[in-house]
Amino acid sequence: MAKQTAGRDNLGEFAPQFAQLNDDVLFGEVWSRESELSTRDRSMITCASLMTQGAPQLEAHLKIAQQNGVTKAEIVELITHLAFYAGWPKAWSAFTLAKEIFKEDGKE
């Protein structure tokens, strides 16, 4: 996985400790533990969690999931499954994002 700099890029001056934890610990140490859980699986789990929260970070993580090999079909299944647990409006919003992100590559 590419080195993450979103924390420093967006919050480095305002909240440097949080930015460092985001980039170096969350993405640098936790996401890199591929022998325990692949980045593909971490992406699926992260997208599921963000969808259930209705978090705006879902858009960025759907793009990361796509880069990590998650297919359009898998994202569709994930959102459909979670619609019954997280709520229909959250699923609808997630589909709107996923439709835009996954149309670009045409991967199923």
Side-chain angles (χ1 to χ4, degrees):
M1 186 169 177
K3 180 163 174 55
Q4 181 62 258
T5 61
R8 286 182 177 88
D9 294 346
N10 293 298
L11 295 172
E13 290 183 32
F14 187 75
Q17 180 64 39
F18 183 86
Q20 183 267 324
L21 291 169
N22 182 81
D23 295 352
D24 298 344
V25 178
L26 174 58
F27 285 97
E29 293 178 28
V30 176
W31 272 83
S32 68
R33 295 168 43 94
E34 291 187 52
S35 62
E36 287 78 9
L37 203 59
S38 70
T39 54
R40 181 197 165 284
D41 290 347
R42 287 181 195 277
S43 283
M44 293 279 287
I45 293 164
T46 302
C47 287
S49 177
L50 293 172
M51 186 200 135
T52 65
Q53 298 172 63
Q57 292 85 355
L58 178 59
E59 181 176 3
H61 278 278
L62 284 169
K63 292 175 183 175
I64 292 169
Q66 184 181 44
Q67 293 167 2
N68 287 337
V70 177
T71 66
K72 180 181 98 175
E74 290 170 323
I75 287 297
V76 167
E77 189 62 24
L78 179 145
I79 296 169
T80 300
H81 182 79
L82 287 174
F84 294 92
Y85 293 93
W88 213 256
K90 288 178 183 173
W92 195 274
S93 295
F95 273 127
T96 300
L97 292 172
K99 186 177 173 183
E100 281 301 307
I101 292 163
F102 283 84
K103 77 174 183 181
E104 297 166 4
D105 72 0
K107 291 182 185 174
E108 298 287 335

